[in-house]
Amino acid sequence: MADRAPQPVERQLPTEESRDLLALVRDMIQREIAPKAADEEEAGRFPREVFALLSESGLLGLPYDSEHGGGDQPYEVYLQVLEELAAARLTVGLGVSVHSLACHGLAGYGTKEQKAAHLPAMLGGGLLGAYCLSEPASGSDAASLRTKAVRDGDDWVITGTKAWITHGGVADFYTVLARTGVEGPRGITAFLVPGDAPGLSAAAPEKKMGMKGSPTAQLHFDGVRVPDSRRIGDEGQGFAIALSALDSGRLGIAACAIGVAQAALAEALSYATGREQFGRPIADFQGLRFMLADMATQIEAGRALYLAAARLRDAGRPFSREAAMAKLFCTDTAMKVATDAVQVLGGYGYTVDFPVERYMREAKVLQIVEGTNQIQRMVIARHLAGPESR
Ligand SMILES: Cc1cc2nc3c(=O)[nH]c(=O)nc-3n(C[C@H](O)[C@H](O)[C@H](O)COP(=O)(O)OP(=O)(O)OC[C@H]3O[C@@H](n4cnc5c(N)ncnc54)[C@H](O)[C@@H]3O)c2cc1C
């Protein structure tokens, strides 16, 4: 079987520090992540120790302020790290992206006291986070969520069910969006809930098509009590916080998608140059050469798109439209490239002896999470043509 490790990508990084960081990440991938990825995905094993190592190495807080234990890295650098992690194992790349999403609310909207109390442990103290927006009856229409938080003295009491939660049952903290007021987006508030809060329990993880090592579970809140000091932002500000987190999170998904696509291309290239038919390597045939050329071109275009959006964010400019475009294009690219990689390997591509079938299954989920690609098109169209008339 061909080497699972993707070919190193030639990257343009802005500083010496970021180049050293990438070298550290590549070394960690070779030693700790890539060798076990295929077997652990097949076995459905969550690599908790890898997240502990990432936290210890400062890789769980890269885009956040160093004042609270973050890495002070621009998004342009953070996303390229994510891309490399996802190329080795999507469970890890997407897991880091989700953790970052879970930290976004507190880092962006928390008080000075809240940040001092919680962020250092979240960004580099070994804790792992999860982000709880979706529910069994509200996915794309997230503003219709029903989980309730009711004020009781200095506390809030949370009751309801969250669905599809990445790291559900294994996370140390949950950023939870719950209804505290009127129906619709203005009645939602964000809370930081500890993983061991009494009344909080996780269902058995979903049995998924791919990313089997990443636990995705329903979470039940049965009168979970949190003090008001764990409310993030103002009452009613939760949906705005959730959307702001998703703008950044979508860039993370875009980078992960390009990682999966890059890994699929590397495998297809390695196979095509070694496999012979009609007395020649199959990489000699124009039918495959053009396919490989298209795969590489789509990957470069996707990477350029997510990096352009990241640079807007790094410059403090609006990037919501560009993040939706990057998520849409990069995840559709991952699906196309991974499917084509299976084709390049022929019958072998359809077996578990080669990783391209895993990449194809992994690419699919990226078109669904953090707003399906239909929802990304709605977001982009709203930026172009304004809100729908009804
Ligand atoms: C592996 C995995 C991990 C996840 N992790 C998390 C997590 O950590 N936290 C979290 O909160 N959520 C998470 N999710 C949930 C994910 O964000 C939702 O699945 C997604 O938002 C879609 O919601 P839904 O599944 O309810 O589909 P629905 O909203 O029911 O959509 C079904 C179909 O209808 C389409 N559709 C819906 N509305 C429209 C419309 N107006 N126009 C056109 N088409 C439309 C959708 O695009 C989709 O094709 C995860 C999901 C998966 C599969």
Side-chain angles (χ1 to χ4, degrees):
M1 195 202 315
D3 184 1
R4 285 181 182 285
Q7 308 296 317
V9 174
E10 199 62 49
R11 297 195 182 276
Q12 291 187 2
L13 292 163
T15 58
E16 193 62 41
E17 189 193 9
S18 57
R19 287 188 281 278
D20 289 348
L21 177 69
L22 189 76
L24 170 97
V25 170
R26 284 182 170 167
D27 182 54
M28 194 181 285
I29 285 172
Q30 288 314 315
R31 281 186 296 110
E32 310 289 343
I33 302 174
K36 297 180 200 152
D39 289 346
E40 291 197 350
E41 281 305 311
E42 203 177 332
R45 183 181 176 277
F46 178 61
R48 187 65 178 83
E49 70 290 348
V50 167
F51 287 91
L53 182 65
L54 290 169
S55 180
E56 207 178 284
S57 315
L59 296 171
L60 282 193
L62 277 185
Y64 290 105
D65 280 354
S66 53
E67 188 193 344
H68 296 108
D72 264 341
Q73 290 300 312
Y75 245 60
E76 173 190 3
V77 172
Y78 159 66
L79 292 181
Q80 296 195 68
V81 168
L82 269 191
E83 188 196 312
E84 299 251 342
L85 290 171
R89 186 168 179 189
L90 184 60
T91 285
V92 175
L94 187 110
V96 173
S97 185
V98 166
H99 173 84
S100 205
L101 187 70
C103 297
H104 182 98
L106 196 76
Y109 300 83
T111 62
K112 231 171 119 192
E113 293 71 27
Q114 286 176 319
K115 289 188 202 179
H118 302 295
L119 269 184
M122 290 160 65
L123 299 181
L127 300 192
L128 183 67
Y131 173 86
C132 309
L133 178 63
S134 305
E135 297 185 359
S138 64
S140 301
D141 183 13
S144 68
L145 64 83
R146 291 182 199 159
T147 294
K148 264 196 174 160
V150 177
R151 188 87 195 222
D152 181 26
D154 284 341
D155 292 344
W156 291 89
V157 180
I158 306 176
T159 306
T161 299
K162 290 291 175 183
W164 304 111
I165 305 308
T166 300
H167 303 158
V170 301
D172 301 299
F173 65 91
Y174 296 92
T175 295
V176 179
L177 285 309
R179 188 159 303 285
T180 54
V182 291
E183 285 194 5
R186 293 205 175 80
I188 295 170
T189 303
F191 298 92
L192 184 68
V193 178
D196 59 359
L200 176 59
S201 61
E206 305 290 346
K207 293 183 177 163
K208 306 194 299 295
M209 178 194 292
M211 254 197 359
K212 296 180 186 198
S214 172
T216 312
Q218 283 200 354
L219 278 187
H220 303 299
F221 293 78
D222 185 9
V224 172
R225 191 171 277 274
V226 290
D228 189 50
S229 61
R230 282 183 168 268
R231 170 174 47 82
I232 304 171
D234 295 332
E235 277 179 53
Q237 199 185 7
F239 199 65
I241 295 174
L243 291 189
S244 148
L246 285 176
D247 277 345
S248 296
R250 282 168 185 164
L251 288 179
I253 301 298
C256 286
I258 292 303
V260 171
Q262 184 70 47
L265 173 63
E267 192 65 29
L269 269 174
S270 149
Y271 186 86
T273 46
R275 169 77 171 173
E276 292 197 358
Q277 288 294 282
F278 302 97
R280 299 156 73 184
I282 58 170
D284 264 12
F285 302 124
Q286 194 183 59
L288 285 199
R289 295 176 82 80
F290 280 14
M291 201 181 222
L292 292 165
D294 283 347
M295 290 157 81
T297 304
Q298 285 156 7
I299 289 170
E300 288 295 341
R303 185 176 292 124
L305 196 56
Y306 88 60
L307 284 175
R311 288 176 186 133
L312 283 177
R313 187 188 188 282
D314 290 334
R317 307 245 311 268
F319 66 97
S320 177
R321 182 185 74 145
E322 289 76 7
M325 287 175 168
K327 198 273 179 182
L328 169 64
F329 185 82
C330 294
T331 61
D332 281 357
T333 291
M335 194 68 243
K336 171 92 173 70
V337 168
T339 306
D340 286 349
V342 171
Q343 192 70 17
V344 169
L345 269 72
Y348 295 100
Y350 201 64
T351 70
V352 295
D353 298 336
F354 289 85
V356 286
E357 61 83 34
R358 167 159 72 86
Y359 300 144
M360 191 174 160
R361 289 183 287 106
E362 290 178 344
K364 185 64 225 174
V365 81
L366 298 172
Q367 294 179 307
I368 296 169
V369 293
E370 295 196 25
T372 65
N373 284 3
Q374 283 78 20
I375 297 302
Q376 305 307 322
R377 288 183 172 91
M378 281 170 58
V379 171
I380 297 162
R382 272 182 204 145
H383 280 279
L384 294 173
E388 296 88 338
S389 54
R390 193 194 67 83

